[in-house]
Amino acid sequence: MPVEEFVAGWISGALGLVLGYPFDTVKVRLQTQTTYRGIVDCMVKTYRHESLLGFFKGMSFPIASIAVVNSVLFGIYSNTLLALTATSHQERRAQPPSYTHIFIAGCTGGFLQAYFLAPFDLIKVRLQNQTEPRAKPGSPPPRYRGPVHCATSIFQEEGPRGLFRGAWALTLRDTPTMGIYFITYECLCHQSTPEGQNPSSATVLVAGGFAGITSWVTATPLDVIKSRMQMAGLNQRAHRGVLDCIVSSARQEGLGVFFRGLTINSARAFPVNAVTFLSYEYLLHLWQ
Ligand SMILES: CN(C)C(=N)NCCC[C@H](N)C(=O)O
């Protein structure tokens, strides 16, 4: 099993993560809190109340975990394609795999990465939703002091299964949308690259950016549900399951609720995934 894809997936994922993190914080807050009037209002309030650091709350943990999560995604994707088509990464330009194979490999990567991602994503969402400014003398401390305290508190208060709250919604979100992610990328690269050649950096940037946008546009409804289920344990409003969360969110807030965070998700997705794919392709090219 070639390991280069795992390492390249890790490094490229970390670069994309740092770039997109402030957008991600705004998105999570818009999806789970009702106090903001929109993207700009959320940004202004976060900055006034918590300074620039407010946008980077809970980032240390995802940076550490992206090593596991993105390398699982890219590593499983590439190795599934190897199993299905018997071609390595460098052979795939001359013998492109079918879109069905790309979709199956993407879905497999998305499905497996969801299990690794679930506890890390839960902790990220809980920390991003803490709107208290940095500790000032006399002000009430935030509920979680950091990622380790957050993980141990969830474990103690909600049990080991608590760490996997929202995991089903996450799996349903990521399995098909990772198939869409890789199909969009490969299709755009294929169409703008002469037969048998490697795509140019500009092509990789644009194809990666659009792959991010299409996957996030299709993922947003279940992303909203996932974030709400992750926060539910904290608010004592636990939903009975994914369906219950979908129905109660739609009843209380209308169908528009499923598109909350769509604009910011798409704006974040382009640069994050352009950089992710460019560094992934560059590293694999360097090592081959
Ligand atoms: C849930 N969906 C749609 C995705 N995760 N799509 C792939 C993008 C991955 C990238 N690290 C990002 O955060 O944009």
mmCIF file of all heavy atoms in Angstrom, residues 229-255:
data_model
loop_
_atom_site.group_PDB
_atom_site.id
_atom_site.type_symbol
_atom_site.label_atom_id
_atom_site.label_comp_id
_atom_site.label_asym_id
_atom_site.label_seq_id
_atom_site.Cartn_x
_atom_site.Cartn_y
_atom_site.Cartn_z
ATOM 1 N N MET A 229 -26.825 18.416 15.945
ATOM 2 C CA MET A 229 -26.812 17.214 16.786
ATOM 3 C C MET A 229 -25.602 17.227 17.719
ATOM 4 O O MET A 229 -25.670 16.781 18.857
ATOM 5 C CB MET A 229 -26.811 15.960 15.919
ATOM 6 C CG MET A 229 -28.110 15.854 15.149
ATOM 7 S SD MET A 229 -28.321 14.302 14.341
ATOM 8 C CE MET A 229 -28.621 13.220 15.703
ATOM 9 N N GLN A 230 -24.497 17.774 17.210
ATOM 10 C CA GLN A 230 -23.301 17.848 18.050
ATOM 11 C C GLN A 230 -23.509 18.806 19.222
ATOM 12 O O GLN A 230 -22.991 18.579 20.311
ATOM 13 C CB GLN A 230 -22.103 18.305 17.215
ATOM 14 C CG GLN A 230 -21.613 17.228 16.258
ATOM 15 C CD GLN A 230 -20.573 17.746 15.287
ATOM 16 O OE1 GLN A 230 -20.624 18.884 14.846
ATOM 17 N NE2 GLN A 230 -19.631 16.899 14.931
ATOM 18 N N MET A 231 -24.266 19.893 18.992
ATOM 19 C CA MET A 231 -24.497 20.857 20.066
ATOM 20 C C MET A 231 -25.625 20.418 20.984
ATOM 21 O O MET A 231 -25.732 20.893 22.110
ATOM 22 C CB MET A 231 -24.835 22.238 19.483
ATOM 23 C CG MET A 231 -23.677 22.941 18.833
ATOM 24 S SD MET A 231 -22.235 23.084 19.905
ATOM 25 C CE MET A 231 -22.784 24.274 21.121
ATOM 26 N N ALA A 232 -26.471 19.513 20.497
ATOM 27 C CA ALA A 232 -27.675 19.162 21.244
ATOM 28 C C ALA A 232 -27.367 18.582 22.621
ATOM 29 O O ALA A 232 -28.045 18.910 23.589
ATOM 30 C CB ALA A 232 -28.529 18.196 20.435
ATOM 31 N N GLY A 233 -26.343 17.771 22.742
ATOM 32 C CA GLY A 233 -26.012 17.162 24.028
ATOM 33 C C GLY A 233 -25.770 18.222 25.080
ATOM 34 O O GLY A 233 -26.125 18.070 26.256
ATOM 35 N N LEU A 234 -25.218 19.352 24.630
ATOM 36 C CA LEU A 234 -24.864 20.433 25.547
ATOM 37 C C LEU A 234 -26.095 21.193 26.011
ATOM 38 O O LEU A 234 -26.203 21.620 27.145
ATOM 39 C CB LEU A 234 -23.931 21.379 24.779
ATOM 40 C CG LEU A 234 -23.144 22.386 25.555
ATOM 41 C CD1 LEU A 234 -22.169 21.669 26.460
ATOM 42 C CD2 LEU A 234 -22.373 23.271 24.580
ATOM 43 N N ASN A 235 -27.052 21.366 25.097
ATOM 44 C CA ASN A 235 -28.235 22.182 25.412
ATOM 45 C C ASN A 235 -29.371 21.383 26.043
ATOM 46 O O ASN A 235 -30.457 21.893 26.181
ATOM 47 C CB ASN A 235 -28.799 22.809 24.122
ATOM 48 C CG ASN A 235 -27.734 23.581 23.387
ATOM 49 O OD1 ASN A 235 -26.763 24.020 23.985
ATOM 50 N ND2 ASN A 235 -27.909 23.722 22.082
ATOM 51 N N GLN A 236 -29.116 20.142 26.360
ATOM 52 C CA GLN A 236 -30.177 19.268 26.895
ATOM 53 C C GLN A 236 -31.349 19.151 25.930
ATOM 54 O O GLN A 236 -32.484 18.997 26.335
ATOM 55 C CB GLN A 236 -30.724 19.800 28.253
ATOM 56 C CG GLN A 236 -29.685 20.208 29.262
ATOM 57 C CD GLN A 236 -28.849 19.034 29.734
ATOM 58 O OE1 GLN A 236 -29.353 17.950 29.914
ATOM 59 N NE2 GLN A 236 -27.565 19.231 29.916
ATOM 60 N N ARG A 237 -31.076 19.304 24.604
ATOM 61 C CA ARG A 237 -32.185 19.217 23.654
ATOM 62 C C ARG A 237 -31.946 18.048 22.733
ATOM 63 O O ARG A 237 -32.200 18.127 21.534
ATOM 64 C CB ARG A 237 -32.228 20.503 22.806
ATOM 65 C CG ARG A 237 -33.017 21.626 23.413
ATOM 66 C CD ARG A 237 -33.283 22.696 22.363
ATOM 67 N NE ARG A 237 -32.039 23.199 21.772
ATOM 68 C CZ ARG A 237 -31.828 23.311 20.484
ATOM 69 N NH1 ARG A 237 -32.729 22.936 19.618
ATOM 70 N NH2 ARG A 237 -30.695 23.797 20.024
ATOM 71 N N ALA A 238 -31.393 16.961 23.299
ATOM 72 C CA ALA A 238 -30.946 15.860 22.448
ATOM 73 C C ALA A 238 -32.045 15.413 21.479
ATOM 74 O O ALA A 238 -33.207 15.257 21.862
ATOM 75 C CB ALA A 238 -30.508 14.700 23.313
ATOM 76 N N HIS A 239 -31.673 15.263 20.211
ATOM 77 C CA HIS A 239 -32.632 14.786 19.218
ATOM 78 C C HIS A 239 -32.636 13.270 19.258
ATOM 79 O O HIS A 239 -31.639 12.654 19.612
ATOM 80 C CB HIS A 239 -32.218 15.275 17.835
ATOM 81 C CG HIS A 239 -32.152 16.769 17.740
ATOM 82 N ND1 HIS A 239 -33.279 17.553 17.656
ATOM 83 C CD2 HIS A 239 -31.099 17.626 17.746
ATOM 84 C CE1 HIS A 239 -32.919 18.822 17.601
ATOM 85 N NE2 HIS A 239 -31.607 18.891 17.659
ATOM 86 N N ARG A 240 -33.733 12.670 18.816
ATOM 87 C CA ARG A 240 -33.803 11.205 18.851
ATOM 88 C C ARG A 240 -32.980 10.583 17.720
ATOM 89 O O ARG A 240 -32.678 9.420 17.745
ATOM 90 C CB ARG A 240 -35.253 10.748 18.787
ATOM 91 C CG ARG A 240 -35.970 10.900 20.131
ATOM 92 C CD ARG A 240 -37.284 10.138 20.136
ATOM 93 N NE ARG A 240 -38.161 10.559 19.048
ATOM 94 C CZ ARG A 240 -38.961 11.619 19.107
ATOM 95 N NH1 ARG A 240 -38.983 12.358 20.192
ATOM 96 N NH2 ARG A 240 -39.733 11.937 18.090
ATOM 97 N N GLY A 241 -32.644 11.335 16.756
ATOM 98 C CA GLY A 241 -31.848 10.813 15.636
ATOM 99 C C GLY A 241 -31.788 11.851 14.527
ATOM 100 O O GLY A 241 -32.342 12.956 14.670
ATOM 101 N N VAL A 242 -31.148 11.456 13.407
ATOM 102 C CA VAL A 242 -30.969 12.386 12.293
ATOM 103 C C VAL A 242 -32.326 12.880 11.781
ATOM 104 O O VAL A 242 -32.551 14.074 11.599
ATOM 105 C CB VAL A 242 -30.179 11.694 11.151
ATOM 106 C CG1 VAL A 242 -30.067 12.587 9.931
ATOM 107 C CG2 VAL A 242 -28.795 11.291 11.623
ATOM 108 N N LEU A 243 -33.273 11.931 11.600
ATOM 109 C CA LEU A 243 -34.581 12.275 11.049
ATOM 110 C C LEU A 243 -35.320 13.248 11.973
ATOM 111 O O LEU A 243 -35.907 14.239 11.519
ATOM 112 C CB LEU A 243 -35.389 10.993 10.838
ATOM 113 C CG LEU A 243 -36.540 11.120 9.870
ATOM 114 C CD1 LEU A 243 -36.035 11.506 8.485
ATOM 115 C CD2 LEU A 243 -37.308 9.797 9.788
ATOM 116 N N ASP A 244 -35.255 12.960 13.270
ATOM 117 C CA ASP A 244 -35.926 13.820 14.248
ATOM 118 C C ASP A 244 -35.357 15.243 14.186
ATOM 119 O O ASP A 244 -36.099 16.229 14.235
ATOM 120 C CB ASP A 244 -35.725 13.208 15.644
ATOM 121 C CG ASP A 244 -36.374 14.047 16.717
ATOM 122 O OD1 ASP A 244 -37.542 14.412 16.537
ATOM 123 O OD2 ASP A 244 -35.698 14.345 17.732
ATOM 124 N N CYS A 245 -34.038 15.335 14.042
ATOM 125 C CA CYS A 245 -33.385 16.648 13.967
ATOM 126 C C CYS A 245 -33.796 17.375 12.681
ATOM 127 O O CYS A 245 -34.081 18.578 12.706
ATOM 128 C CB CYS A 245 -31.871 16.464 14.047
ATOM 129 S SG CYS A 245 -30.970 18.004 14.066
ATOM 130 N N ILE A 246 -33.893 16.629 11.568
ATOM 131 C CA ILE A 246 -34.302 17.244 10.291
ATOM 132 C C ILE A 246 -35.718 17.799 10.426
ATOM 133 O O ILE A 246 -35.995 18.959 10.119
ATOM 134 C CB ILE A 246 -34.247 16.207 9.127
ATOM 135 C CG1 ILE A 246 -32.806 15.777 8.873
ATOM 136 C CG2 ILE A 246 -34.888 16.754 7.849
ATOM 137 C CD1 ILE A 246 -32.616 14.715 7.802
ATOM 138 N N VAL A 247 -36.626 16.939 10.954
ATOM 139 C CA VAL A 247 -38.041 17.339 11.034
ATOM 140 C C VAL A 247 -38.220 18.508 11.999
ATOM 141 O O VAL A 247 -38.864 19.511 11.677
ATOM 142 C CB VAL A 247 -38.913 16.120 11.440
ATOM 143 C CG1 VAL A 247 -40.347 16.539 11.722
ATOM 144 C CG2 VAL A 247 -38.872 15.065 10.343
ATOM 145 N N SER A 248 -37.601 18.439 13.189
ATOM 146 C CA SER A 248 -37.837 19.517 14.142
ATOM 147 C C SER A 248 -37.182 20.824 13.682
ATOM 148 O O SER A 248 -37.753 21.897 13.878
ATOM 149 C CB SER A 248 -37.411 19.127 15.564
ATOM 150 O OG SER A 248 -36.046 18.874 15.599
ATOM 151 N N SER A 249 -36.026 20.744 13.009
ATOM 152 C CA SER A 249 -35.407 21.990 12.510
ATOM 153 C C SER A 249 -36.292 22.622 11.445
ATOM 154 O O SER A 249 -36.510 23.842 11.442
ATOM 155 C CB SER A 249 -34.024 21.714 11.902
ATOM 156 O OG SER A 249 -33.162 21.155 12.852
ATOM 157 N N ALA A 250 -36.824 21.782 10.513
ATOM 158 C CA ALA A 250 -37.665 22.317 9.435
ATOM 159 C C ALA A 250 -38.956 22.908 9.993
ATOM 160 O O ALA A 250 -39.403 23.979 9.565
ATOM 161 C CB ALA A 250 -37.977 21.223 8.424
ATOM 162 N N ARG A 251 -39.553 22.216 10.989
ATOM 163 C CA ARG A 251 -40.813 22.705 11.570
ATOM 164 C C ARG A 251 -40.605 24.052 12.258
ATOM 165 O O ARG A 251 -41.393 24.969 12.121
ATOM 166 C CB ARG A 251 -41.311 21.708 12.624
ATOM 167 C CG ARG A 251 -42.154 20.645 12.017
ATOM 168 C CD ARG A 251 -43.251 20.175 12.995
ATOM 169 N NE ARG A 251 -43.810 18.963 12.435
ATOM 170 C CZ ARG A 251 -43.701 17.768 12.980
ATOM 171 N NH1 ARG A 251 -43.087 17.610 14.136
ATOM 172 N NH2 ARG A 251 -44.218 16.719 12.399
ATOM 173 N N GLN A 252 -39.512 24.138 13.020
ATOM 174 C CA GLN A 252 -39.315 25.362 13.814
ATOM 175 C C GLN A 252 -38.792 26.535 12.994
ATOM 176 O O GLN A 252 -39.110 27.673 13.265
ATOM 177 C CB GLN A 252 -38.348 25.081 14.967
ATOM 178 C CG GLN A 252 -38.998 24.304 16.111
ATOM 179 C CD GLN A 252 -37.963 23.597 16.969
ATOM 180 O OE1 GLN A 252 -36.805 23.995 17.002
ATOM 181 N NE2 GLN A 252 -38.381 22.560 17.667
ATOM 182 N N GLU A 253 -37.949 26.244 11.987
ATOM 183 C CA GLU A 253 -37.289 27.369 11.309
ATOM 184 C C GLU A 253 -37.523 27.427 9.804
ATOM 185 O O GLU A 253 -36.962 28.288 9.136
ATOM 186 C CB GLU A 253 -35.785 27.316 11.601
ATOM 187 C CG GLU A 253 -35.493 27.583 13.077
ATOM 188 C CD GLU A 253 -34.117 27.098 13.479
ATOM 189 O OE1 GLU A 253 -33.149 27.726 13.052
ATOM 190 O OE2 GLU A 253 -34.016 26.100 14.217
ATOM 191 N N GLY A 254 -38.311 26.502 9.273
ATOM 192 C CA GLY A 254 -38.580 26.500 7.829
ATOM 193 C C GLY A 254 -37.452 25.826 7.047
ATOM 194 O O GLY A 254 -36.377 25.555 7.596
ATOM 195 N N LEU A 255 -37.706 25.617 5.735
ATOM 196 C CA LEU A 255 -36.739 24.862 4.927
ATOM 197 C C LEU A 255 -35.410 25.596 4.731
ATOM 198 O O LEU A 255 -34.367 24.986 4.496
ATOM 199 C CB LEU A 255 -37.342 24.542 3.552
ATOM 200 C CG LEU A 255 -38.453 23.475 3.567
ATOM 201 C CD1 LEU A 255 -38.963 23.219 2.161
ATOM 202 C CD2 LEU A 255 -37.934 22.164 4.183
#
